[in-house]
Amino acid sequence: MIPLYLFTGFLDAGKTSFVQETMADPRFSSGEKTLLILCEEGEEEYDPKKFAGGENVTIITIEDQSEMTAEYLRNLTAKYHSDRVLMEYNGMWPMSVLITNMPRNWQLYQHIMVADAGSFALYNANMRSLVVERLATAQAALLNRAALGREEFAQLPQLRYVGTLATGYNTIDVAAAREAGVTVCNVPH
């Protein structure tokens, strides 16, 4: 099975920066051939020279969700002899596009949703189904001043970790998080 590390969120959430930092960490690389699939253009650009094991990373861009077919994804991993896949998923594409077309030899290994409080509140108010869909399968969420309470934790059975990028975490109902088995802490910059 090929593990898929899935990174979701919306524009300006910091997905690219988070993936860049993850790929630069030598603890995340032990020589695996990595396929990094980008499903949207962000403000930040990747710098593969800073990736630990960068010579083993291939970056592919999928510009339209119609390109995301099981055959295409399977052929990419075969062509590049990928040991693992990291995907920065487009925040506006339904998750069903990926789930329906994920090759059988892929396994969702980890799903991290990254959100910025400024846009999170807007997306949550106007496109709540997209927000819930992103968080529904996420094991970890990195949030900046976003509020989560008992109601949200009840809808997120996979969530195990919330990292806040703000000073403190007074916007998170810590007691509700604890009851749901979710660890809450600050993420240092």
Side-chain angles (χ1 to χ4, degrees), residues 151-176:
E151 181 182 331
E152 287 80 13
F153 288 119
Q155 296 175 23
L156 307 171
Q158 301 295 319
L159 193 63
R160 292 292 164 253
Y161 172 84
V162 173
T164 62
L165 302 171
T167 305
Y169 40 84
N170 59 325
T171 59
I172 309 294
D173 183 338
V174 178

Short mmCIF file of all heavy atoms in Angstrom, two decimals, residues 151-176:
data_model
loop_
_atom_site.label_atom_id
_atom_site.label_comp_id
_atom_site.label_asym_id
_atom_site.label_seq_id
_atom_site.Cartn_x
_atom_site.Cartn_y
_atom_site.Cartn_z
N GLU A 151 -20.19 20.91 20.03
CA GLU A 151 -20.94 20.55 18.81
C GLU A 151 -19.98 20.15 17.67
O GLU A 151 -20.20 19.15 16.99
CB GLU A 151 -21.81 21.72 18.37
CG GLU A 151 -22.64 21.43 17.13
CD GLU A 151 -23.47 22.64 16.70
OE1 GLU A 151 -23.85 23.46 17.56
OE2 GLU A 151 -23.72 22.75 15.49
N GLU A 152 -18.93 20.92 17.50
CA GLU A 152 -17.96 20.62 16.43
C GLU A 152 -17.23 19.31 16.72
O GLU A 152 -17.07 18.47 15.83
CB GLU A 152 -16.96 21.76 16.26
CG GLU A 152 -17.53 23.01 15.61
CD GLU A 152 -18.32 23.89 16.57
OE1 GLU A 152 -18.23 23.69 17.80
OE2 GLU A 152 -19.03 24.78 16.09
N PHE A 153 -16.79 19.12 17.96
CA PHE A 153 -16.06 17.88 18.30
C PHE A 153 -16.94 16.65 18.10
O PHE A 153 -16.46 15.60 17.68
CB PHE A 153 -15.51 17.94 19.72
CG PHE A 153 -14.35 18.88 19.87
CD1 PHE A 153 -14.41 19.97 20.72
CD2 PHE A 153 -13.17 18.66 19.16
CE1 PHE A 153 -13.34 20.83 20.86
CE2 PHE A 153 -12.08 19.52 19.29
CZ PHE A 153 -12.18 20.61 20.14
N ALA A 154 -18.24 16.78 18.35
CA ALA A 154 -19.16 15.65 18.17
C ALA A 154 -19.25 15.24 16.70
O ALA A 154 -19.50 14.08 16.38
CB ALA A 154 -20.54 16.02 18.71
N GLN A 155 -19.02 16.18 15.79
CA GLN A 155 -19.10 15.91 14.35
C GLN A 155 -17.77 15.45 13.76
O GLN A 155 -17.69 15.16 12.56
CB GLN A 155 -19.56 17.16 13.60
CG GLN A 155 -20.96 17.60 13.95
CD GLN A 155 -21.31 18.91 13.27
OE1 GLN A 155 -20.75 19.28 12.25
NE2 GLN A 155 -22.26 19.63 13.84
N LEU A 156 -16.72 15.40 14.57
CA LEU A 156 -15.38 15.12 14.06
C LEU A 156 -14.76 13.92 14.77
O LEU A 156 -13.80 14.06 15.53
CB LEU A 156 -14.50 16.37 14.22
CG LEU A 156 -15.09 17.66 13.63
CD1 LEU A 156 -14.26 18.86 14.03
CD2 LEU A 156 -15.22 17.54 12.12
N PRO A 157 -15.27 12.73 14.51
CA PRO A 157 -14.81 11.55 15.27
C PRO A 157 -13.37 11.15 15.00
O PRO A 157 -12.75 10.50 15.84
CB PRO A 157 -15.77 10.45 14.80
CG PRO A 157 -16.23 10.89 13.44
CD PRO A 157 -16.28 12.39 13.53
N GLN A 158 -12.78 11.56 13.89
CA GLN A 158 -11.39 11.19 13.58
C GLN A 158 -10.38 12.15 14.21
O GLN A 158 -9.21 11.82 14.33
CB GLN A 158 -11.17 11.17 12.06
CG GLN A 158 -12.05 10.21 11.30
CD GLN A 158 -11.76 8.78 11.68
OE1 GLN A 158 -10.60 8.39 11.83
NE2 GLN A 158 -12.80 7.99 11.86
N LEU A 159 -10.83 13.34 14.57
CA LEU A 159 -9.92 14.38 15.05
C LEU A 159 -9.28 13.97 16.38
O LEU A 159 -9.95 13.57 17.31
CB LEU A 159 -10.68 15.69 15.22
CG LEU A 159 -9.85 16.95 15.42
CD1 LEU A 159 -8.98 17.21 14.18
CD2 LEU A 159 -10.75 18.15 15.67
N ARG A 160 -7.95 14.06 16.44
CA ARG A 160 -7.21 13.70 17.64
C ARG A 160 -6.32 14.83 18.14
O ARG A 160 -5.80 14.78 19.25
CB ARG A 160 -6.34 12.45 17.40
CG ARG A 160 -7.15 11.20 17.19
CD ARG A 160 -7.86 10.81 18.50
NE ARG A 160 -8.92 9.87 18.28
CZ ARG A 160 -10.22 10.15 18.35
NH1 ARG A 160 -10.63 11.35 18.62
NH2 ARG A 160 -11.13 9.22 18.16
N TYR A 161 -6.11 15.86 17.31
CA TYR A 161 -5.16 16.91 17.67
C TYR A 161 -5.62 18.24 17.06
O TYR A 161 -5.98 18.29 15.89
CB TYR A 161 -3.78 16.56 17.14
CG TYR A 161 -2.76 17.67 17.28
CD1 TYR A 161 -2.07 17.86 18.46
CD2 TYR A 161 -2.51 18.53 16.22
CE1 TYR A 161 -1.15 18.88 18.60
CE2 TYR A 161 -1.59 19.56 16.35
CZ TYR A 161 -0.91 19.73 17.54
OH TYR A 161 -0.01 20.74 17.66
N VAL A 162 -5.60 19.28 17.87
CA VAL A 162 -5.82 20.64 17.39
C VAL A 162 -4.64 21.46 17.86
O VAL A 162 -4.37 21.55 19.06
CB VAL A 162 -7.14 21.25 17.93
CG1 VAL A 162 -7.23 22.72 17.54
CG2 VAL A 162 -8.35 20.49 17.40
N GLY A 163 -3.92 22.01 16.91
CA GLY A 163 -2.81 22.91 17.21
C GLY A 163 -3.24 24.32 16.88
O GLY A 163 -3.73 24.57 15.78
N THR A 164 -3.12 25.22 17.84
CA THR A 164 -3.49 26.61 17.58
C THR A 164 -2.22 27.41 17.32
O THR A 164 -1.22 27.25 18.00
CB THR A 164 -4.28 27.22 18.75
OG1 THR A 164 -3.47 27.23 19.91
CG2 THR A 164 -5.57 26.45 19.01
N LEU A 165 -2.30 28.26 16.32
CA LEU A 165 -1.16 29.08 15.93
C LEU A 165 -1.23 30.45 16.59
O LEU A 165 -0.40 31.30 16.33
CB LEU A 165 -1.12 29.22 14.41
CG LEU A 165 -1.06 27.89 13.65
CD1 LEU A 165 -1.26 28.09 12.16
CD2 LEU A 165 0.26 27.19 13.92
N ALA A 166 -2.22 30.64 17.46
CA ALA A 166 -2.37 31.91 18.17
C ALA A 166 -1.71 31.80 19.55
O ALA A 166 -1.24 30.73 19.94
CB ALA A 166 -3.86 32.22 18.33
N THR A 167 -1.71 32.89 20.27
CA THR A 167 -1.21 32.88 21.64
C THR A 167 -2.33 32.38 22.53
O THR A 167 -3.34 33.04 22.69
CB THR A 167 -0.78 34.30 22.06
OG1 THR A 167 0.16 34.78 21.12
CG2 THR A 167 -0.16 34.28 23.44
N GLY A 168 -2.18 31.20 23.07
CA GLY A 168 -3.24 30.61 23.89
C GLY A 168 -4.23 29.85 23.03
O GLY A 168 -4.12 29.82 21.80
N TYR A 169 -5.21 29.24 23.69
CA TYR A 169 -6.24 28.51 22.96
C TYR A 169 -7.59 28.69 23.64
O TYR A 169 -8.36 27.76 23.80
CB TYR A 169 -5.89 27.03 22.77
CG TYR A 169 -5.25 26.34 23.95
CD1 TYR A 169 -6.02 25.81 24.98
CD2 TYR A 169 -3.87 26.19 24.01
CE1 TYR A 169 -5.43 25.17 26.05
CE2 TYR A 169 -3.27 25.54 25.08
CZ TYR A 169 -4.06 25.04 26.09
OH TYR A 169 -3.47 24.40 27.15
N ASN A 170 -7.90 29.94 23.98
CA ASN A 170 -9.14 30.25 24.65
C ASN A 170 -10.36 30.13 23.72
O ASN A 170 -11.49 30.18 24.19
CB ASN A 170 -9.08 31.64 25.29
CG ASN A 170 -8.81 32.73 24.28
OD1 ASN A 170 -8.07 32.51 23.32
ND2 ASN A 170 -9.36 33.90 24.51
N THR A 171 -10.16 29.95 22.43
CA THR A 171 -11.29 29.79 21.50
C THR A 171 -11.68 28.32 21.36
O THR A 171 -12.64 28.00 20.68
CB THR A 171 -10.94 30.35 20.11
OG1 THR A 171 -9.79 29.66 19.62
CG2 THR A 171 -10.68 31.85 20.17
N ILE A 172 -10.95 27.44 22.02
CA ILE A 172 -11.22 26.00 21.96
C ILE A 172 -11.82 25.57 23.30
O ILE A 172 -11.27 25.88 24.36
CB ILE A 172 -9.92 25.19 21.70
CG1 ILE A 172 -9.15 25.73 20.50
CG2 ILE A 172 -10.22 23.70 21.57
CD1 ILE A 172 -9.81 25.57 19.17
N ASP A 173 -12.92 24.84 23.25
CA ASP A 173 -13.52 24.28 24.46
C ASP A 173 -12.67 23.08 24.86
O ASP A 173 -12.84 21.97 24.35
CB ASP A 173 -14.97 23.88 24.19
CG ASP A 173 -15.68 23.35 25.43
OD1 ASP A 173 -15.00 22.89 26.38
OD2 ASP A 173 -16.92 23.38 25.43
N VAL A 174 -11.71 23.31 25.75
CA VAL A 174 -10.73 22.29 26.12
C VAL A 174 -11.39 21.10 26.82
O VAL A 174 -11.02 19.95 26.59
CB VAL A 174 -9.61 22.89 26.99
CG1 VAL A 174 -8.61 21.84 27.42
CG2 VAL A 174 -8.90 24.01 26.23
N ALA A 175 -12.40 21.35 27.65
CA ALA A 175 -13.10 20.25 28.33
C ALA A 175 -13.80 19.36 27.30
O ALA A 175 -13.73 18.13 27.38
CB ALA A 175 -14.10 20.80 29.34
N ALA A 176 -14.47 19.97 26.31
CA ALA A 176 -15.13 19.19 25.26
C ALA A 176 -14.10 18.44 24.43
O ALA A 176 -14.33 17.29 24.03
CB ALA A 176 -15.96 20.11 24.37
#
